[in-house]
Amino acid sequence: MNLKYLSLFTGIGGMDMGFDGEVIVHRESIENKEFIDRQHTVKDFVVLKKNKFECVFQNDILTGAKEVFGFNTDNSKYDTTSIYDLISTNFSFPFADVVIGGFPCQDFSHAGKRHGFESNKTHDLKEIVDAKKDNSRGTLYKSFVEVVKRVKPKFFVAENVYGLMTMKNEPIRIIMEDFSKLGYDVDYQIVCCIDHGIAQTRKRVIIMGISKDRKSDIKQGWNIITQNRIRCNIGKYFEHLDEPDVSEDISQMVFSKAKKLEKGQGQTEVNMNSFAPTMRAEHHGNIEFRRHKNSKLNPSENHLSERRLTIREAGLIQTFPPNYIFSKKKNMLAYKYIGNAVPPLLGYLIAEKIYDLYKAHFI
């Protein structure tokens, strides 16, 4: 049977794709070949078997993200009202077995100013507010908690940046306690994406909760994702791509022209025989370089021009499908959406874990 899931802070649907969408990755990113449904039309890419979930509701304030999501699949269940406003007006959330989402991470990220719970942005991002307001971006996790309280799912999954673990006052402890008070066993895992087939040095905190109203006890480590322990270098994901000046793919044509700086983020090139750096949402054009002039990391490409990563390349680093539509016009808005997303392959492994827990403790 399919489990119903409710998605918060959906963005362009990276985690959602893992739950009920079509995940398409390079075959060398998959350890368990039983995950594979069929070959994709792009050489060496495979389509994974769909997980047994169905979406009942999606929410994010970013109308552009909803539009991108709609380019690729049905977005009729996608509501762009602020989650804070939905809760304030007693919106009736549909029943769901699982609530998933990555609550806003900018205020905890090492790449940001790290305001944490004292963010100076409101829930709707439209005005600056005094610190410690109860509707700031940094406290939107409380809206996630409130939805879990109202929906009473069997499980919830909240994803956030590794910076959550290194801030003063231990926000991870506070967040877990708030969820625990609702009648859930709660634990977290730090996931290093490179260890699970994702060719990116992205580290994320996965907070998982399971209802205490279940049929059997859990054991220590119940929440740990152990599937797909394999590594794949990023060069595999780029082998089929043409250069932007000859590509017919609009997402491969577009890349940031920001000049190279002597120091700062985004000035390094990506090593094709290793892993890409974390795709950031807030880079102001300083997305990493695909290659430098007279590259020492990728000398076989020295006949090609120096440039930064394209939209398509950034998407592939995040394991979005090679044919995912990020835009129908030439613009760079998708960089932000891509950087904010949960890699679909990670979403797939999370969904696999949740379904295994369902079979073990609720059937």
Side-chain angles (χ1 to χ4, degrees):
M1 70 173 273
N2 284 351
L3 298 182
K4 299 180 186 299
Y5 79 91
L6 186 156
S7 171
L8 302 176
F9 313 109
T10 304
I12 57 173
M15 195 184 311
D16 298 54
M17 190 181 298
F19 272 73
D20 70 345
E22 204 166 66
V23 176
I24 302 168
V25 294
H26 195 278
R27 59 183 173 82
E28 292 193 16
S29 280
I30 301 301
E31 177 188 38
N32 184 353
K33 303 309 178 186
E34 292 184 2
F35 283 175
I36 298 173
D37 181 45
R38 64 187 187 278
Q39 298 293 315
H40 189 255
T41 53
V42 175
K43 184 184 177 184
D44 293 329
F45 278 71
V46 291
V47 182
L48 304 189
K49 295 175 182 176
K50 281 193 175 184
N51 276 315
K52 296 179 180 180
F53 292 86
E54 61 179 284
C55 181
V56 294
F57 181 78
Q58 294 164 310
N59 176 255
D60 200 306
I61 198 170
L62 299 173
T63 55
K66 177 181 179 179
E67 181 182 40
V68 173
F69 188 83
F71 290 155
N72 297 276
T73 189
D74 175 30
N75 67 355
S76 62
K77 296 173 184 174
Y78 199 129
D79 190 319
T80 56
T81 307
S82 165
I83 187 64
Y84 183 86
D85 290 339
L86 289 175
I87 290 169
S88 298
T89 56
N90 291 316
F91 177 80
S92 180
F93 293 95
F95 166 78
D97 297 290
V98 191
V99 174
I100 68 172
F103 55 87
C105 63
Q106 295 93 328
D107 298 296
F108 303 102
S109 174
H110 288 117
K113 297 180 179 179
R114 310 199 80 193
H115 291 296
F117 294 144
E118 299 181 2
S119 173
N120 61 357
K121 289 289 183 72
T122 59
H123 64 96
D124 56 9
L125 308 181
K126 292 180 180 177
E127 59 181 292
I128 304 298
V129 296
D130 294 332
K132 300 182 181 178
K133 286 287 186 72
D134 64 358
N135 67 345
S136 76
R137 183 176 63 181
T139 55
L140 273 176
Y141 87 90
K142 291 183 178 180
S143 294
F144 196 130
V145 173
E146 181 63 25
V147 173
V148 170
K149 180 180 179 180
R150 296 186 186 191
V151 175
K152 298 178 173 62
K154 297 176 179 68
F155 306 94
F156 69 82
V157 181
E159 178 264 2
N160 212 274
V161 293
Y162 178 66
L164 194 67
M165 305 299 300
T166 60
M167 290 190 70
K168 63 181 181 180
N169 300 324
E170 299 182 279
I172 181 68
R173 177 184 57 78
I174 297 168
I175 291 168
M176 289 177 62
E177 285 178 357
D178 284 351
F179 279 117
S180 296
K181 291 173 184 176
L182 303 181
Y184 290 84
D185 284 307
V186 184
D187 212 334
Y188 72 88
Q189 176 184 7
I190 298 170
V191 173
C192 298
C193 285
I194 60 172
D195 294 329
H196 295 275
I198 301 162
Q200 178 185 185
T201 58
R202 194 180 191 93
K203 292 173 72 175
R204 285 298 183 266
V205 179
I206 306 299
I207 304 169
M208 197 174 289
I210 181 171
S211 173
K212 292 182 178 179
D213 185 16
R214 55 180 185 267
K215 291 186 176 181
S216 57
D217 293 334
I218 54 174
K219 297 179 181 179
Q220 187 173 3
W222 63 270
N223 63 304
I224 302 300
I225 297 165
T226 57
Q227 293 264 39
N228 210 51
R229 300 286 293 186
I230 193 170
R231 291 186 170 193
C232 177
N233 68 53
I234 194 56
K236 301 291 184 183
Y237 276 81
F238 292 174
E239 286 176 349
H240 69 285
L241 295 175
D242 293 324
E243 282 296 293
D245 58 339
V246 296
S247 177
E248 296 181 359
D249 172 6
I250 193 168
S251 291
Q252 180 62 5
M253 297 177 190
V254 177
F255 61 94
S256 171
K257 305 298 196 302
K259 66 179 182 180
K260 189 194 298 182
L261 304 176
E262 290 299 317
K263 58 182 180 178
Q265 291 182 320
Q267 307 312 314
T268 59
E269 64 178 319
V270 177
N271 184 345
M272 293 298 101
N273 295 310
S274 187
F275 313 110
T278 299
M279 291 296 96
R280 295 167 287 120
E282 305 290 347
H283 55 71
H284 308 291
N286 287 328
I287 189 80
E288 277 69 18
F289 278 84
R290 169 64 177 79
R291 71 179 72 85
H292 285 161
K293 185 178 181 181
N294 299 321
S295 171
K296 294 181 180 179
L297 291 180
N298 307 296
S300 65
E301 297 185 343
N302 280 341
H303 62 291
L304 299 171
S305 61
E306 178 178 87
R307 64 171 175 82
R308 294 183 182 272
L309 291 166
T310 65
I311 294 289
R312 175 63 64 208
E313 288 162 347
L316 287 168
I317 288 169
Q318 278 278 64
T319 68
F320 277 93
N323 56 347
Y324 193 85
I325 301 170
F326 292 107
S327 178
K328 295 188 176 180
K329 298 178 181 179
K330 286 186 177 182
N331 63 58
M332 295 190 292
L333 295 174
Y335 277 136
K336 184 181 182 72
Y337 301 143
I338 292 167
N340 271 331
V342 174
L345 179 53
L346 178 56
Y348 188 89
L349 298 175
I350 292 171
E352 280 280 326
K353 182 65 180 181
I354 291 294
Y355 205 83
D356 285 346
L357 287 168
Y358 167 73
K359 290 187 293 184
H361 300 292
F362 290 90
I363 294 180

